[in-house]
Amino acid sequence: MAILVTGGAGYIGSHTVVELQNAGYDVVVLDNLSNSSEKSLERVEKITGKKVTFYKADILDREALEEIFNKEQIECVIHFAGLKAVGESVAKPWEYYQNNVAGTLILVDVMRQHGVKNIIFSSSSTVYGMPDAIPVTEKSPKKDCTNPYGWTKSMLEQILSDIQKADPEWNVILLRYFNPIGAHQSGTIGENPNGIPNNLMPYITQVAVGKRPELGIFGNDYNTPDGTGVRDYIHVVDLADGHVKALKKVQENAGLCIYNLGTGVGYSVLDLVKTFEETTGVKIPYSIKERRAGDIDANYADATKAKEELGWEAKYGVKEMCADSWRWQSQNPNGYED
Ligand code: NAD
Ligand code: WQD
């Protein structure tokens, strides 16, 4: 029996494949490579010394999915495949709803027709919108999202929960990630954004490697200690391990489960810049810009539930996150094109 990892060639997916293989699972990857390179999987194989079965396929392509489920013995799907750029989702809402929501509906339909009713889904802290109080727990209310991307996560949580409610044979594990950064310690796999990075850490590393002149900090008048936005950054290897731990709930037939995956500690933009500089010795020039639409002051996780129920907690701190992001970027200035 194998774990099917959709979006497994991507940033979080490739790191999760490593942890799954290291934990002894057989892994099958499906990815349409719209935001990734097959090279990530070649590097995963080098890290683990194990073969990855790969299908270049789209979750919207029912026939391709049928073929994979007919051929492979899948016991659980870890579902990363999706579009994730917040700004792009505002400009292209149809594409986001189609790819993320319609794609997941097709995937889940093929799964149930093949008797596979176990799914671990990549959700996001974005479902908490602008929280009333932090840290947020899984009981904190879901709020309005500020962009179509966020809504796809919020809607898919609802859709998968309803499917589980109607058919209790389903195990649906919703993992709400906070802000994944860092890379595998080998420096051979990591985040590889197309074009100008949307997220903070890849922007910092591209400034550090000389691809961009300076970092723009989006606002320093937030209600936070130094005025810049506060987030819960989590090492991608810890996040990947969270998926392996979450499989326990599938094995226990736990039904519907929701977990925050974060460290529980908030860092501001300036904290992260300072830690990056101290850890790597590379200076990051920056200037203060206007606030970015839709950004919130602060958010970080209460991840107690994952600790108590999954035995999972983040092992790596922000220094390791910075050092590992930098190792990846400095060894691969052009990502998988090098
Ligand atoms: P990523 O873009 O690196 O990985 C997503 C992968 O899915 C890519 O390899 C892409 O080619 C593939 N894909 C997209 N649409 C597909 C389709 N229709 N069929 C098949 N493959 C498809 O992104 P990531 O950062 O690794 O994120 C993985 C998941 O985690 C996404 O669902 C994302 O929304 C979610 N998430 C990410 C973050 C983050 O900050 N990175 C935070 C919370 C949640
Ligand atoms: C972090 C902080 C910015 C870039 C997004 C999605 C969320 C989730 C994770 C997927 C904020 C500031 C950023 C820059 C900056 N993704 N910043 N200059 O916005 O917390 O979350 O990614 O689910 O849904 O919304 O992450 O890395 O973009 O920003 O000052 O060039 O860095 O304002 O305070 P965010 P981020």
Side-chain angles (χ1 to χ4, degrees):
M1 296 295 268
I3 311 290
L4 175 65
V5 181
T6 75
Y11 172 46
I12 307 170
S14 56
H15 287 82
T16 302
V17 175
V18 169
E19 298 309 311
L20 286 167
Q21 290 195 320
N22 284 344
Y25 289 97
D26 285 335
V27 180
V28 174
V29 168
L30 167 177
D31 199 302
N32 67 0
L33 303 179
S34 60
N35 195 38
S36 53
S37 160
E38 206 178 329
K39 281 192 188 155
S40 66
L41 297 174
E42 290 165 15
R43 303 211 181 158
V44 165
E45 289 179 338
K46 279 209 178 109
I47 293 170
T48 65
K50 291 179 183 164
K51 190 99 200 75
V52 178
T53 306
F54 174 62
Y55 292 90
K56 183 170 186 285
D58 196 302
I59 52 169
L60 285 159
D61 183 348
R62 182 182 286 272
E63 272 173 31
L65 296 185
E66 291 283 356
E67 218 177 295
I68 296 169
F69 278 85
N70 283 333
K71 213 160 151 201
E72 306 288 344
Q73 298 289 310
I74 306 297
E75 61 177 313
C76 178
V77 177
I78 303 186
H79 179 34
F80 293 104
L83 298 173
K84 63 156 185 180
V86 169
E88 184 185 61
S89 79
V90 177
K92 297 181 175 173
W94 186 87
E95 283 76 4
Y96 271 67
Y97 289 115
Q98 172 71 2
N99 192 74
N100 294 5
V101 180
T104 302
L105 287 174
I106 293 170
L107 171 70
V108 163
D109 193 29
V110 174
M111 284 174 68
R112 64 180 180 177
Q113 275 165 23
H114 288 79
V116 182
K117 296 185 179 179
N118 299 314
I119 188 165
I120 297 179
F121 174 65
S122 299
S123 188
S124 168
S125 58
T126 197
V127 302
Y128 294 116
M130 204 173 287
D132 299 325
I134 44 176
V136 288
T137 75
E138 293 79 356
K139 290 207 170 89
S140 299
K142 284 172 70 175
K143 293 282 192 68
D144 279 354
C145 296
T146 53
N147 56 78
Y149 164 74
W151 279 118
T152 68
K153 294 294 169 191
S154 193
M155 287 176 187
L156 283 166
E157 281 201 353
Q158 187 65 46
I159 290 167
L160 293 171
S161 302
D162 288 343
I163 287 171
Q164 195 283 330
K165 202 168 161 191
D167 178 358
E169 280 182 13
W170 275 91
N171 293 304
V172 169
I173 319 295
L174 308 176
L175 300 180
R176 293 176 177 162
Y177 315 155
F178 281 68
N179 290 55
I181 60 171
H184 189 264
Q185 285 80 0
S186 63
T188 59
I189 56 172
E191 189 168 10
N192 185 28
N194 269 331
I196 301 171
N198 300 300
N199 298 111
L200 180 59
M201 182 54 96
Y203 209 106
I204 290 176
T205 58
Q206 290 201 4
V207 171
V209 85
K211 290 180 90 171
R212 314 216 170 259
E214 65 164 18
L215 169 72
I217 295 185
F218 300 143
N220 65 351
D221 56 353
Y222 282 104
N223 184 21
T224 61
D226 65 22
T228 64
V230 167
R231 299 289 185 275
D232 186 337
Y233 296 96
I234 173 170
H235 198 296
V236 66
V237 172
D238 276 328
L239 189 61
D241 178 48
H243 294 75
V244 178
K245 299 268 164 56
L247 282 168
K248 179 175 156 217
K249 286 286 149 188
V250 170
Q251 281 139 14
E252 287 171 2
N253 272 318
L256 174 69
C257 301
I258 306 177
Y259 298 102
N260 285 341
L261 296 182
T263 63
V265 186
Y267 286 92
S268 73
V269 177
L270 285 171
D271 288 334
L272 201 69
V273 169
K274 215 179 299 156
T275 309
F276 186 89
E277 291 182 335
E278 283 165 9
T279 314
T280 63
V282 184
K283 196 107 195 80
I284 303 298
Y286 66 80
S287 63
I288 306 297
K289 305 272 191 229
E290 291 291 297
R291 287 182 175 206
R292 183 174 65 179
D295 272 355
I296 58 173
D297 300 65
N299 197 11
Y300 50 93
D302 180 330
T304 314
K305 191 176 174 213
K307 185 176 180 186
E308 286 176 358
E309 296 188 12
L310 304 178
W312 174 88
E313 75 184 309
K315 290 200 277 279
Y316 300 110
V318 77
K319 283 188 184 150
E320 284 123 328
M321 300 181 211
C322 289
D324 292 338
S325 289
W326 179 230
R327 190 175 305 110
W328 155 251
Q329 179 76 76
S330 54
Q331 289 179 13
N332 307 270
N334 301 308
Y336 292 107
E337 280 155 37
D338 289 317

